Amino acid sequence: QVQLVESGGGSVQAGGSLRLSCAASGRTFSRYAMGWFRQAPGKEREFVSAIIWSGASTLYADSVKGRFTISRDNAKNTVYLQMNSLKPEDTAVYYCAGGPRPSWVLLTATKATAYDYWGQGTQVTVSS
């Protein structure tokens, strides 16, 4: 069993930056793909970014490419999401997710249903 705990959310003005962290328990973290998803009020949960177990490959939603960077430190069982040039439309609850099933070949790493473990979410609010 893996538990995920997000932190780093908050309120910033447009153009600002935040770094989200997701700390994982369990010895299998380093073998899992990890992802970030977000959900705005009244909208469905959407893919933001994902990183393969080794960190060698990443995926990004078009809406965040060039602004967000995902990374991981397997020694610390932590995955990060550096968010720069934030926009009001980035306002959402951000969720960390992980598991062994996401595929880069089949691109299921962008699908929430591919992940087995989820954090409780952290709120990000960007004001204009």
Side-chain angles (χ1 to χ4, degrees):
Q1 189 74 5
V2 174
Q3 291 187 326
L4 304 176
V5 179
E6 302 99 334
S7 61
S11 297
V12 295
Q13 290 193 324
S17 298
L18 284 173
R19 187 175 83 153
L20 305 183
S21 299
C22 174
S25 64
R27 292 178 292 178
T28 53
F29 169 83
S30 63
R31 300 170 63 181
Y32 287 173
M34 299 297 296
W36 286 97
F37 290 76
R38 66 187 182 186
Q39 188 166 17
K43 295 188 177 181
E44 297 205 348
R45 191 169 298 191
E46 66 174 1
F47 170 75
V48 175
S49 184
I51 187 166
I52 205 167
W53 68 272
S54 64
S57 183
T58 57
L59 294 169
Y60 294 95
D62 288 343
S63 59
V64 307
K65 276 181 184 176
R67 300 188 298 122
F68 291 10
T69 303
I70 191 171
S71 61
R72 66 189 297 162
D73 185 338
N74 286 342
K76 296 182 178 180
N77 277 13
T78 302
V79 63
Y80 305 96
L81 186 69
Q82 177 67 43
M83 304 186 296
N84 297 329
S85 302
L86 283 162
K87 304 175 181 180
E89 51 263 45
D90 294 318
T91 295
V93 177
Y94 283 70
Y95 297 91
C96 172
R101 296 185 295 118
S103 167
W104 260 245
V105 174
L106 301 176
L107 287 181
T108 59
T110 64
K111 308 299 183 185
T113 52
Y115 293 83
D116 295 313
Y117 304 105
W118 290 84
Q120 82 287 352
T122 186
Q123 177 71 46
V124 171
T125 303
V126 185
S127 58
S128 57

Coordinates of all heavy atoms in Angstrom, one line a residue, residues 52-102:
I52 N 7.9 9.0 -15.5 CA 8.1 7.6 -15.4 C 9.0 7.3 -14.2 O 9.6 8.2 -13.6 CB 8.8 7.1 -16.7 CG1 8.5 5.7 -17.0 CG2 10.3 7.4 -16.7 CD1 8.9 5.3 -18.4
W53 N 9.0 6.0 -13.8 CA 9.6 5.6 -12.6 C 11.1 6.1 -12.4 O 11.5 6.5 -11.4 CB 9.6 4.1 -12.4 CG 10.5 3.4 -13.4 CD1 10.1 3.0 -14.6 CD2 11.9 3.0 -13.2 NE1 11.2 2.4 -15.2 CE2 12.3 2.4 -14.4 CE3 12.8 3.2 -12.2 CZ2 13.6 1.9 -14.5 CZ3 14.0 2.7 -12.3 CH2 14.4 2.0 -13.5
S54 N 11.8 6.1 -13.5 CA 13.2 6.5 -13.5 C 13.4 8.0 -13.6 O 14.5 8.5 -13.4 CB 14.0 5.8 -14.6 OG 13.5 6.3 -15.9
G55 N 12.4 8.7 -14.0 CA 12.5 10.2 -14.2 C 13.0 10.5 -15.6 O 13.1 11.7 -16.0
A56 N 13.2 9.5 -16.4 CA 13.8 9.7 -17.8 C 12.8 10.2 -18.8 O 13.2 10.7 -19.9 CB 14.4 8.4 -18.3
S57 N 11.5 10.1 -18.5 CA 10.5 10.5 -19.5 C 9.4 11.2 -18.7 O 9.0 10.8 -17.7 CB 10.0 9.3 -20.3 OG 9.1 9.8 -21.3
T58 N 8.9 12.3 -19.3 CA 7.8 13.1 -18.8 C 6.8 13.4 -19.8 O 7.0 13.3 -21.0 CB 8.3 14.4 -18.2 OG1 9.0 15.1 -19.2 CG2 9.3 14.1 -17.0
L59 N 5.6 13.7 -19.3 CA 4.5 14.0 -20.2 C 3.8 15.3 -19.6 O 3.8 15.4 -18.4 CB 3.4 12.9 -20.3 CG 3.8 11.6 -21.0 CD1 2.8 10.6 -20.7 CD2 4.0 11.8 -22.4
Y60 N 3.3 16.1 -20.5 CA 2.6 17.4 -20.0 C 1.4 17.6 -20.8 O 1.3 17.3 -22.0 CB 3.5 18.6 -20.2 CG 4.8 18.6 -19.3 CD1 6.0 18.1 -19.8 CD2 4.7 19.0 -18.0 CE1 7.1 18.0 -18.9 CE2 5.8 19.0 -17.1 CZ 7.0 18.5 -17.6 OH 8.1 18.4 -16.8
A61 N 0.4 18.2 -20.2 CA -0.8 18.6 -20.9 C -0.4 19.9 -21.7 O 0.5 20.6 -21.3 CB -1.9 19.0 -19.9
D62 N -1.0 20.1 -22.8 CA -0.6 21.2 -23.7 C -0.8 22.5 -22.9 O 0.0 23.5 -23.1 CB -1.5 21.2 -24.9 CG -1.1 20.2 -25.9 OD1 0.0 19.6 -25.8 OD2 -2.0 19.9 -26.8
S63 N -1.8 22.6 -22.0 CA -2.1 23.8 -21.3 C -1.0 24.2 -20.3 O -0.9 25.4 -19.9 CB -3.4 23.7 -20.6 OG -3.3 22.6 -19.7
V64 N -0.1 23.3 -20.0 CA 1.0 23.7 -19.0 C 2.4 23.5 -19.6 O 3.4 23.8 -18.9 CB 0.8 22.8 -17.7 CG1 -0.6 22.9 -17.2 CG2 1.2 21.4 -18.0
K65 N 2.5 23.1 -20.8 CA 3.8 22.9 -21.4 C 4.6 24.2 -21.4 O 4.1 25.2 -21.8 CB 3.7 22.4 -22.8 CG 3.6 20.9 -22.9 CD 3.5 20.4 -24.4 CE 3.2 18.9 -24.5 NZ 3.0 18.5 -25.9
G66 N 5.9 24.1 -21.0 CA 6.7 25.3 -21.0 C 6.6 26.1 -19.7 O 7.4 27.0 -19.5
R67 N 5.6 25.8 -18.9 CA 5.4 26.5 -17.6 C 5.6 25.6 -16.4 O 6.0 26.1 -15.4 CB 3.9 27.1 -17.6 CG 3.7 28.1 -18.7 CD 2.3 28.8 -18.5 NE 1.2 27.9 -18.5 CZ 0.4 27.8 -17.5 NH1 0.5 28.5 -16.4 NH2 -0.7 26.9 -17.5
F68 N 5.2 24.4 -16.5 CA 5.3 23.4 -15.4 C 6.4 22.4 -15.7 O 6.6 22.1 -16.8 CB 4.0 22.7 -15.2 CG 2.8 23.5 -14.7 CD1 2.8 24.9 -14.7 CD2 1.6 22.8 -14.3 CE1 1.8 25.6 -14.2 CE2 0.5 23.6 -13.9 CZ 0.6 25.0 -13.8
T69 N 7.0 22.0 -14.6 CA 8.1 21.0 -14.7 C 7.9 19.9 -13.6 O 7.8 20.3 -12.4 CB 9.5 21.6 -14.5 OG1 9.7 22.6 -15.5 CG2 10.5 20.5 -14.7
I70 N 7.8 18.7 -14.0 CA 7.6 17.6 -13.0 C 9.0 17.0 -12.8 O 9.8 16.9 -13.8 CB 6.6 16.5 -13.5 CG1 6.3 15.6 -12.4 CG2 7.1 15.8 -14.8 CD1 5.1 14.6 -12.8
S71 N 9.3 16.6 -11.6 CA 10.5 15.9 -11.3 C 10.3 15.0 -10.1 O 9.2 15.0 -9.5 CB 11.6 16.9 -11.0 OG 11.3 17.7 -9.8
R72 N 11.3 14.1 -9.9 CA 11.1 13.2 -8.7 C 12.5 12.9 -8.1 O 13.5 13.0 -8.8 CB 10.5 11.9 -9.2 CG 11.3 11.0 -10.1 CD 10.4 9.9 -10.6 NE 10.0 9.0 -9.6 CZ 9.0 8.1 -9.7 NH1 8.3 8.0 -10.8 NH2 8.7 7.3 -8.7
D73 N 12.4 12.6 -6.8 CA 13.6 12.2 -6.1 C 13.3 10.9 -5.4 O 12.6 10.9 -4.4 CB 14.0 13.3 -5.1 CG 15.3 13.0 -4.3 OD1 15.7 11.8 -4.3 OD2 15.9 13.9 -3.8
N74 N 13.7 9.8 -6.0 CA 13.4 8.5 -5.5 C 14.0 8.2 -4.1 O 13.5 7.4 -3.3 CB 13.8 7.4 -6.5 CG 12.8 7.4 -7.7 OD1 11.7 8.0 -7.6 ND2 13.2 6.8 -8.8
A75 N 15.1 8.9 -3.9 CA 15.8 8.7 -2.5 C 14.9 9.3 -1.4 O 15.0 8.9 -0.3 CB 17.2 9.3 -2.5
K76 N 14.1 10.3 -1.8 CA 13.3 11.0 -0.8 C 11.8 10.6 -1.0 O 10.9 11.1 -0.3 CB 13.4 12.5 -1.0 CG 14.8 13.0 -0.6 CD 14.8 14.5 -0.7 CE 16.2 15.1 -0.3 NZ 16.2 16.6 -0.5
N77 N 11.5 9.6 -1.9 CA 10.1 9.2 -2.1 C 9.2 10.4 -2.4 O 8.1 10.5 -1.9 CB 9.6 8.4 -0.9 CG 10.0 7.0 -1.0 OD1 10.9 6.6 -1.8 ND2 9.4 6.1 -0.2
T78 N 9.7 11.3 -3.2 CA 8.9 12.6 -3.4 C 8.9 12.9 -4.9 O 9.9 12.8 -5.6 CB 9.6 13.7 -2.6 OG1 9.6 13.4 -1.2 CG2 8.7 15.0 -2.8
V79 N 7.8 13.4 -5.3 CA 7.6 13.9 -6.7 C 7.2 15.4 -6.6 O 6.5 15.8 -5.6 CB 6.6 13.1 -7.5 CG1 5.2 13.2 -6.9 CG2 6.6 13.6 -9.0
Y80 N 7.7 16.2 -7.5 CA 7.5 17.6 -7.4 C 6.8 18.1 -8.7 O 6.9 17.5 -9.8 CB 8.8 18.4 -7.3 CG 9.6 17.9 -6.1 CD1 10.7 17.0 -6.3 CD2 9.4 18.4 -4.9 CE1 11.4 16.6 -5.2 CE2 10.2 18.0 -3.8 CZ 11.2 17.1 -4.0 OH 12.0 16.7 -2.9
L81 N 6.1 19.3 -8.6 CA 5.6 20.0 -9.7 C 5.9 21.4 -9.5 O 5.3 22.1 -8.7 CB 4.0 19.8 -9.8 CG 3.4 20.4 -11.1 CD1 3.9 19.6 -12.3 CD2 1.9 20.3 -11.0
Q82 N 6.9 21.9 -10.3 CA 7.2 23.3 -10.3 C 6.3 24.0 -11.3 O 6.3 23.7 -12.5 CB 8.7 23.5 -10.7 CG 9.1 25.0 -10.8 CD 9.1 25.6 -9.4 OE1 9.6 25.1 -8.4 NE2 8.6 26.9 -9.4
M83 N 5.6 25.0 -10.8 CA 4.6 25.7 -11.6 C 5.0 27.2 -11.7 O 5.0 27.9 -10.7 CB 3.2 25.6 -11.0 CG 2.8 24.2 -10.8 SD 1.1 24.0 -10.2 CE 1.2 24.8 -8.6
N84 N 5.3 27.6 -12.9 CA 5.7 29.0 -13.1 C 4.7 29.7 -14.1 O 3.9 29.0 -14.7 CB 7.1 29.0 -13.8 CG 8.2 28.4 -12.9 OD1 8.1 28.5 -11.7 ND2 9.2 27.9 -13.5
S85 N 4.8 31.0 -14.1 CA 3.9 31.8 -15.0 C 2.5 31.3 -14.8 O 1.7 31.1 -15.8 CB 4.3 31.6 -16.4 OG 5.7 32.0 -16.6
L86 N 2.0 31.2 -13.6 CA 0.7 30.8 -13.3 C -0.4 31.7 -13.8 O -0.2 32.9 -13.8 CB 0.5 30.6 -11.8 CG 1.2 29.3 -11.2 CD1 1.4 29.3 -9.7 CD2 0.4 28.1 -11.6
K87 N -1.5 31.1 -14.2 CA -2.6 31.8 -14.8 C -3.8 31.6 -13.9 O -3.9 30.5 -13.3 CB -2.9 31.4 -16.2 CG -1.7 31.5 -17.1 CD -2.0 30.9 -18.5 CE -0.8 31.0 -19.4 NZ -1.1 30.4 -20.8
P88 N -4.8 32.4 -13.9 CA -6.0 32.2 -13.2 C -6.7 30.9 -13.6 O -7.3 30.2 -12.7 CB -6.9 33.4 -13.6 CG -6.0 34.5 -13.9 CD -4.8 33.8 -14.5
E89 N -6.6 30.4 -14.8 CA -7.2 29.2 -15.2 C -6.4 28.0 -14.7 O -6.9 26.8 -14.8 CB -7.2 29.1 -16.8 CG -5.9 29.4 -17.5 CD -5.9 30.8 -18.0 OE1 -6.2 31.7 -17.2 OE2 -5.4 31.0 -19.1
D90 N -5.3 28.2 -14.0 CA -4.6 27.1 -13.3 C -5.2 26.8 -11.9 O -4.9 25.8 -11.3 CB -3.1 27.4 -13.1 CG -2.4 27.5 -14.4 OD1 -2.6 26.6 -15.3 OD2 -1.5 28.4 -14.6
T91 N -6.2 27.6 -11.5 CA -6.8 27.5 -10.2 C -7.6 26.1 -10.2 O -8.4 25.8 -11.0 CB -7.8 28.6 -9.9 OG1 -7.0 29.8 -9.8 CG2 -8.6 28.4 -8.7
A92 N -7.2 25.3 -9.2 CA -7.8 24.0 -9.1 C -7.3 23.3 -7.8 O -6.3 23.8 -7.2 CB -7.5 23.1 -10.3
V93 N -7.9 22.2 -7.5 CA -7.3 21.3 -6.5 C -6.3 20.3 -7.3 O -6.8 19.7 -8.3 CB -8.3 20.5 -5.8 CG1 -7.6 19.5 -4.8 CG2 -9.3 21.4 -5.0
Y94 N -5.1 20.3 -6.9 CA -4.1 19.4 -7.5 C -3.9 18.2 -6.8 O -3.7 18.2 -5.6 CB -2.8 20.2 -7.7 CG -2.8 21.2 -8.7 CD1 -3.6 22.4 -8.6 CD2 -2.1 21.1 -9.9 CE1 -3.7 23.3 -9.6 CE2 -2.2 22.0 -10.9 CZ -2.9 23.1 -10.8 OH -3.0 24.1 -11.8
Y95 N -4.0 17.1 -7.5 CA -3.8 15.7 -6.9 C -2.6 15.0 -7.5 O -2.3 15.0 -8.6 CB -5.1 14.9 -7.3 CG -6.4 15.4 -6.7 CD1 -7.2 16.2 -7.4 CD2 -6.8 15.0 -5.4 CE1 -8.4 16.7 -6.9 CE2 -8.0 15.4 -4.9 CZ -8.8 16.3 -5.7 OH -10.0 16.8 -5.2
C96 N -1.9 14.4 -6.5 CA -0.8 13.5 -6.9 C -1.3 12.1 -7.0 O -2.2 11.7 -6.3 CB 0.2 13.6 -5.8 SG 1.6 12.4 -5.9
A97 N -0.8 11.4 -8.0 CA -1.3 10.0 -8.2 C -0.1 9.1 -8.6 O 0.9 9.6 -9.1 CB -2.3 9.9 -9.3
G98 N -0.2 7.8 -8.3 CA 0.9 6.9 -8.6 C 0.5 5.5 -8.8 O -0.7 5.2 -8.4
G99 N 1.3 4.7 -9.4 CA 1.0 3.3 -9.6 C 1.9 2.6 -10.6 O 2.6 3.3 -11.3
P100 N 1.8 1.3 -10.7 CA 2.6 0.6 -11.6 C 2.0 0.5 -13.1 O 2.7 0.0 -14.0 CB 2.7 -0.8 -11.0 CG 1.4 -0.9 -10.3 CD 1.0 0.5 -9.8
R101 N 0.8 0.9 -13.2 CA 0.1 0.6 -14.5 C 0.2 1.6 -15.6 O 0.1 1.3 -16.8 CB -1.4 0.3 -14.3 CG -1.6 -1.0 -13.4 CD -3.1 -1.3 -13.3 NE -3.8 -0.3 -12.6 CZ -4.8 0.5 -13.1 NH1 -5.1 0.3 -14.4 NH2 -5.4 1.4 -12.4
P102 N 0.5 2.9 -15.3 CA 0.5 3.9 -16.4 C 1.5 3.6 -17.5 O 2.6 3.2 -17.1 CB 0.9 5.2 -15.7 CG 0.3 5.0 -14.3 CD 0.6 3.6 -14.0

